[in-house]
Amino acid sequence: MLDACMALNVAFGSDNHSGVHPAILTALSDVNEGYTIAYGADQYTEQAVTAMKKVFGKDAEVFFMYNGTATNILGLKAVMNSFQSVLCAETAHLTVHECCGPEQFIGCKLVNIPTPDGKLTVDLVEPYVIGVGDQHMAQPRVISITQATERGTVYRPAEVSRLAEFAHGHDLLLHMDGARLCNAAAFLKRGLADISGKAGVDVLSFGGTKNGMLCGESVVFFNPKHAKEFPFIRKQGMQLASKMRYIAAQFSAFLSDDLWLRNAEHANAMARLLASELRKSGVQVTQKVEANMVFAIIPNECIRTLHKQYYFHRFNERTCEVRLMCSFTTQRDDVLRFVAAIRHCL
Amino acid sequence: MLDACMALNVAFGSDNHSGVHPAILTALSDVNEGYTIAYGADQYTEQAVTAMKKVFGKDAEVFFMYNGTATNILGLKAVMNSFQSVLCAETAHLTVHECCGPEQFIGCKLVNIPTPDGKLTVDLVEPYVIGVGDQHMAQPRVISITQATERGTVYRPAEVSRLAEFAHGHDLLLHMDGARLCNAAAFLKRGLADISGKAGVDVLSFGGTKNGMLCGESVVFFNPKHAKEFPFIRKQGMQLASKMRYIAAQFSAFLSDDLWLRNAEHANAMARLLASELRKSGVQVTQKVEANMVFAIIPNECIRTLHKQYYFHRFNERTCEVRLMCSFTTQRDDVLRFVAAIRHCL
Amino acid sequence: MLDACMALNVAFGSDNHSGVHPAILTALSDVNEGYTIAYGADQYTEQAVTAMKKVFGKDAEVFFMYNGTATNILGLKAVMNSFQSVLCAETAHLTVHECCGPEQFIGCKLVNIPTPDGKLTVDLVEPYVIGVGDQHMAQPRVISITQATERGTVYRPAEVSRLAEFAHGHDLLLHMDGARLCNAAAFLKRGLADISGKAGVDVLSFGGTKNGMLCGESVVFFNPKHAKEFPFIRKQGMQLASKMRYIAAQFSAFLSDDLWLRNAEHANAMARLLASELRKSGVQVTQKVEANMVFAIIPNECIRTLHKQYYFHRFNERTCEVRLMCSFTTQRDDVLRFVAAIRHCL
Amino acid sequence: MLDACMALNVAFGSDNHSGVHPAILTALSDVNEGYTIAYGADQYTEQAVTAMKKVFGKDAEVFFMYNGTATNILGLKAVMNSFQSVLCAETAHLTVHECCGPEQFIGCKLVNIPTPDGKLTVDLVEPYVIGVGDQHMAQPRVISITQATERGTVYRPAEVSRLAEFAHGHDLLLHMDGARLCNAAAFLKRGLADISGKAGVDVLSFGGTKNGMLCGESVVFFNPKHAKEFPFIRKQGMQLASKMRYIAAQFSAFLSDDLWLRNAEHANAMARLLASELRKSGVQVTQKVEANMVFAIIPNECIRTLHKQYYFHRFNERTCEVRLMCSFTTQRDDVLRFVAAIRHCL
């Protein structure tokens, strides 16, 4: 099965299928000289934290970690008790693709809310804020949104603000899974903080891996009091890197010279190209293409044919809606060849 | 405080203070071209697993992860139930320096056994195998040893075998924390499997980070049945790397051209040099120097003076016994200058 | 608020609002003489287990506990791993009213399936058996049904069997929350085993408290291999009673002279009377009345008026559908007076 | 094996081997009439809480539960985070006989401190308050003491106060496992609050089961802020009784007419008699007899002979020190016959 996979073109399977941006690899070499203290008490981590605070605000508390599973789970653990719940879209990575990690490590319940486009709204969330004060029921504590969403759509800052206001008015917090925050910011032509902390987000997972890093994710607490115990939560949570300078260096490079933005803009542009070419070929695109992913309906037989050459996901196991991802390395030619293959089998 | 730390020479504080071996950095660049499938289903991971199986045996099941906290905790979780206990030396990293991670993620009890030199023996362990079948008491399930130990000593293969026999005779498993397995193998002039799986170890954490990698640790199950559910445990455990090729590539390089061995031999040699120079200077070395660390008694006042220039750990917060670590990057001159500084303040 | 509550008639609020059957209280006195060994190794527990095996089969493994929250959570914990999921009706007590207990103590995900009447069917369940073998996703492990359901309906034995067959055919187990198993058996005029273990249920929570006991619930494993580690799970799960004889004695009395059946038949009959009187008064009864509860639509204003005298639950916080419960102590007059009050305010 | 056990005289095996005091059984009948609201919002629970507050102070927050395992674990969970530790005597029930429950449900580490007599002192505890602020290490959070201890000794109020002062001076809390608080109070001739909350205890488990109840334990928080989230912790923790009135009624009776005190005084007196008779017979009593238990050295062969008639515990599995328990039901004749049997086999 592995052999089968390895023979396939996996370009559109995931933005995780891309490599590492050369500037990131260079950054690793650049910090390699000499001894530095481990576990984040080094100058490179200090520099990276400073760069992050420049982006997210001087009161923001920043912690680097290995992967997005961890930034989501541990970031939430920092602000929750085991008898509380997270309200999220039923498509949220948190609830669909973390193999019960939040349940296991926090103890909490994830409340799945159906949405047409991966985006929560106050109207959608409100009916789920129930049982408050009833000792028999999970206590709502956090609304978690994904920016850009798992459906490739993007929250406008005002939409985030409305959710934040609603949350804070109900003694809830607003969490943002920003695994693709860069793609959202690039689409909105807004700063990373404008669409997260400044719009009212309390806890942010800000990811780099899908957008050109080798391995680097972060949690940003916009309210420092939520971060007080986080060093212990991160360590206990198996996410304290010993040679932290190498994660820090990636973030410093990522935030320099707008690398994060250039990568995200490219990925988004490729997704728009892909969508436009698909539409031209008569393929139905099912979601707005605002970030780096395209959802489209492809007939079952055609999917089977394509799967002999290309690796990509059905949106769910039973439908003909597929998910196609672009990344900072996607080439115009990749797109055109792929659409040609689709056209061929239609 | 950070500034203070950063001004210090941290060479002897930890083997984590070293950088990354150039061959490892090169390996990262070498796999950077093109798309590969994420989460370990790629050819680079396949190659690295093959290399690991060549070392540890073809039946060994191998999983790559980010750090040693995780390989220890999740490797144990795979073979334990929440009502069981791990018997370990009271100096074991697992019980002293994982911030209750095993308790939180497994639920288990760690039973701390005093030892003179960090090494468990059958005689030391036996009195702690109690309460078997008594529903009120934690059920002994695993004996965990560290190779090389946290005291710089090394288990001989026969010592490991005796513990394995005892364990298996009592329906227990033998776990080895091999964060410094390379240093032990280099000292013993034996293969990595000879001193772990072939000597009866059931579950091994085999680490690379302290010995020249950027970030790469692994769990090796010598009995494949223990590995059956591990993909889910690793994913839920927040340790499934998306861009796995970059961890895999490090392991492939690490196992090529005896890089692991050359690095470990150098670190061990530097520790021997350090010990010998200390002894010449009248400093008492308190443990056998078999791996890459030296324990020594330095008068309190002298520690305070040295701490203005050098960062290193007291073995415990209250005594004058200090822990000095060497690594693959430690230079002869580093050692000589440091001992000169000690001689100066004595 | 407490004063307000205490002034109300709470007869129809819950079957937990009833007292203890006199025969149960007598049973407590009857075992009070002399010393007995604690924690269940006594003759009274042996007798009660024997009585349970007579009902549920000689291979059934039986464990007594304090409450239903625990029998559900710990019974499931015995057969699950933390990365697995339970498929249940979205109305299941397990997912709605256990305050994230299953998530916290098992780590698992509860997958909520909408149903019209509280009953799962193969057709309803099948679309949720997804992601099997995909390391990113919670692995389906158990289908949990409630007998009688939280909507007052009852699974026929053939319906249970079909779910069991489906479950076992997909490597899943079938769990039954039998907090009101007696009411279901009374309705079906079948034995307790006929509608649980003999119909294919693997793990059963069999409850007594709602049907006349003071405090007594049990887990029944129909496959002894699932029970092997349960003594430790129960103890660790804070549910091993020291003076076990007093829970055992309740079960022995409960199973003697058909006490369980007489109590359940009475409760069911009162619910039928209530439903019939409500219908006569023009009130819409929204679910089949098969056990001891009635769901009905009462205008909002009328609910408010009634709530000044009577304590009962709205089915959910936002609708006019109310839940009315009967128990072994409900009197014909209680019912008639309550319906008169409703008629008065309509 | 069960048959064997049941043929034995178990009088001295545990205070849990006693039955229920008649006044407690009567109290159950007395509250049996009519409907009451479930889960503790009833008048009987209100009365019992009022009685408890009269004893422990009007600011005390009181919660009833089923057993002592739960009051200890959940009481601690309310004031701890998963990365923290509990410092306790190595003989503490919490660490020896709860089958890793605290580790599983809190996540915390239990730090076992050797003591000669089951009693912690500031001198004994202080060396274990280490690693504060070090993210790698379990953070000390609670000192837990048992009153009376598992060795039958009793803390004087001044001893408790010294530990409380030390704890509070180091940002720690003081927890008391009061499974046998009544026996301690009876010995000291002091009130229950004098030797717990008034002496500085923050969280108390106050037990009734061992001293004449059927099933009733409680957590008392002397600082109301620690109790804020406890209703949810208790419910999630599987310890919220539906028919709460029957636990409440036991506590009301227990606190009436000094029932708790009379029971405890009797048990203590029987232990003193037992110790004195043993000493007269030349048996070495190894601990001060201050509560209701006696530790004594009996030759191995004699233990084996006695075990054919009597069920009692060796203090640990390997020594000849045995633990003998008295309770409110122990009779003078029970003691004399038992000592005669010992004398016979010596």
Side-chain angles (χ1 to χ4, degrees), chain A residues 2 6 17 19-20 32 35-36 41 43 77 97-98 104-105 209 213 235-236 238-239 243 334, chain B residues 2 6 17 19-20 32 35-36 41 43 77 97-98 104-105 209 213 235-236 238-239 243 245 334:
Chain A
L2 183 57
M6 290 184 328
H17 294 176
V20 176
N32 197 40
Y35 304 105
T36 60
Q43 68 270 33
K77 186 175 162 76
H97 286 109
E98 301 297 18
Q104 159 74 353
F105 294 124
T209 313
M213 283 198 202
K235 171 63 191 176
Q236 183 181 56
M238 307 179 281
Q239 288 283 327
K243 295 183 172 175
D334 292 331
Chain B
L2 183 58
M6 290 183 329
H17 294 174
V20 176
N32 199 40
Y35 304 106
T36 59
Q43 70 269 35
K77 186 176 164 75
H97 286 109
E98 301 297 18
Q104 160 74 354
F105 294 124
T209 314
M213 284 199 201
K235 170 63 191 178
Q236 182 181 57
M238 308 179 283
Q239 287 283 327
K243 295 183 172 175
R245 57 170 134 167
D334 292 332

Side-chain angles (χ1 to χ4, degrees), chain B residues 15 52 56 67-69 71-72 93-94 98 144-150 155 174-185 192 195-196 201 203-211 213 216-220 222 251 254 260 264 292:
Chain B
D15 33 9
M52 289 283 284
F56 289 108
N67 67 359
T69 304
T71 53
N72 278 336
H93 198 275
L94 192 66
E98 301 297 18
S144 178
I145 59 178
T146 312
Q147 176 78 312
T149 73
E150 291 81 1
Y155 287 92
L174 185 61
H175 170 262
M176 180 177 275
D177 176 348
R180 296 186 184 94
L181 190 72
C182 298
N183 301 91
L192 293 163
I195 63 172
S196 56
V201 167
V203 185
L204 168 71
S205 292
F206 173 54
T209 314
K210 292 179 198 300
N211 195 29
M213 284 199 201
E217 304 284 319
S218 60
V219 170
V220 181
F222 291 100
F251 270 100
F254 194 61
W260 68 268
N292 62 326

Side-chain angles (χ1 to χ4, degrees), chain B residues 11-12 15 151-153 180 183 187 263-279 285 287-296 323-332 334-336 338-339:
Chain B
F12 298 98
D15 33 9
R151 295 295 260 153
T153 54
R180 296 186 184 94
N183 301 91
F187 170 72
N263 283 355
E265 279 174 345
H266 178 83
N268 290 1
M270 288 300 103
R272 285 195 303 272
L273 174 66
L274 173 58
S276 135
E277 292 295 315
L278 285 172
R279 285 197 197 94
V285 172
Q287 292 284 342
K288 286 182 193 161
V289 178
E290 299 182 338
N292 62 326
M293 65 186 100
V294 177
F295 288 86
R323 190 196 73 162
L324 305 168
M325 304 293 301
C326 296
S327 75
F328 77 100
T329 56
T330 308
Q331 297 303 307
R332 204 179 160 78
D334 292 332
V335 172
L336 299 179
F338 180 59
V339 177

Side-chain angles (χ1 to χ4, degrees), chain B residues 93-116:
Chain B
H93 198 275
L94 192 66
T95 190
V96 180
H97 286 109
E98 301 297 18
C99 201
C100 319
E103 289 91 343
Q104 160 74 354
F105 294 124
I106 307 174
C108 66
K109 182 177 279 296
L110 297 172
V111 177
N112 296 347
I113 303 177
T115 73

Side-chain angles (χ1 to χ4, degrees), chain D residues 14-27:
Chain D
S14 167
D15 33 9
N16 283 315
H17 293 176
S18 63
V20 176
H21 193 278
I24 298 289
L25 282 180
T26 302

Side-chain angles (χ1 to χ4, degrees), chain C residues 2 6 17-20 32 35-36 38 41 43 77 97 104-105 209 213 235-236 238-239 243 334, chain D residues 2 6 17 19-20 32 35-36 41 43 77 97-98 104-105 209 213 235-236 238-239 243 245 334:
Chain C
L2 182 58
M6 291 183 328
H17 293 174
S18 63
V20 176
N32 198 42
Y35 304 106
T36 59
Q43 70 269 34
K77 186 176 163 74
H97 286 110
Q104 159 74 355
F105 294 124
T209 313
M213 283 198 203
K235 171 62 191 178
Q236 183 181 56
M238 307 179 282
Q239 287 284 328
K243 295 183 172 175
D334 291 332
Chain D
L2 183 57
M6 291 183 327
H17 293 176
V20 176
N32 198 42
Y35 304 105
T36 60
Q43 69 269 35
K77 186 175 164 73
H97 286 109
E98 300 297 17
Q104 159 74 353
F105 294 123
T209 313
M213 283 199 202
K235 170 64 191 178
Q236 182 180 57
M238 307 179 282
Q239 288 283 326
K243 295 184 172 174
R245 55 171 135 168
D334 291 332

Side-chain angles (χ1 to χ4, degrees), chain A residues 129-205:
Chain A
V129 182
I130 52 173
V132 177
D134 176 348
Q135 65 187 333
H136 298 269
M137 295 179 76
Q139 297 296 294
R141 172 62 176 153
V142 176
I143 299 171
S144 178
I145 60 179
T146 311
Q147 175 77 313
T149 72
E150 291 80 2
R151 296 293 261 152
T153 54
V154 169
Y155 287 92
R156 281 16 174 209
E159 292 173 322
V160 176
S161 297
R162 275 197 292 275
L163 282 164
E165 257 172 64
F166 174 81
H168 300 150
H170 288 74
D171 206 17
L172 306 173
L173 298 176
L174 185 60
H175 170 262
M176 180 177 274
D177 175 349
R180 296 187 183 95
L181 191 71
C182 298
N183 302 91
F187 170 73
L188 295 169
K189 300 187 191 307
R190 297 292 293 269
L192 293 164
D194 293 340
I195 63 171
S196 57
K198 286 187 189 162
V201 167
D202 298 288
V203 185
L204 169 71
S205 291

Side-chain angles (χ1 to χ4, degrees), chain B residues 72-205:
Chain B
N72 278 336
I73 293 176
L74 299 181
L76 286 168
K77 186 176 164 75
V79 298
M80 295 186 68
N81 208 315
S82 59
F83 53 76
Q84 296 175 328
S85 65
V86 179
L87 311 183
C88 61
E90 68 174 359
T91 45
H93 198 275
L94 192 66
T95 190
V96 180
H97 286 109
E98 301 297 18
C99 201
C100 319
E103 289 91 343
Q104 160 74 354
F105 294 124
I106 307 174
C108 66
K109 182 177 279 296
L110 297 172
V111 177
N112 296 347
I113 303 177
T115 73
D117 56 0
K119 289 164 72 173
L120 293 180
T121 64
V122 170
D123 283 353
L124 288 171
V125 170
E126 198 176 21
Y128 293 87
V129 182
I130 52 173
V132 176
D134 177 348
Q135 64 186 334
H136 298 269
M137 296 180 75
Q139 298 297 295
R141 171 66 176 150
V142 176
I143 299 171
S144 178
I145 59 178
T146 312
Q147 176 78 312
T149 73
E150 291 81 1
R151 295 295 260 153
T153 54
V154 169
Y155 287 92
R156 284 9 174 215
E159 292 173 323
V160 176
S161 297
R162 275 198 290 277
L163 282 164
E165 257 171 64
F166 175 81
H168 300 150
H170 288 74
D171 205 17
L172 305 173
L173 298 176
L174 185 61
H175 170 262
M176 180 177 275
D177 176 348
R180 296 186 184 94
L181 190 72
C182 298
N183 301 91
F187 170 72
L188 296 169
K189 299 187 193 308
R190 298 292 291 269
L192 293 163
D194 294 340
I195 63 172
S196 56
K198 286 188 189 163
V201 167
D202 297 288
V203 185
L204 168 71
S205 292

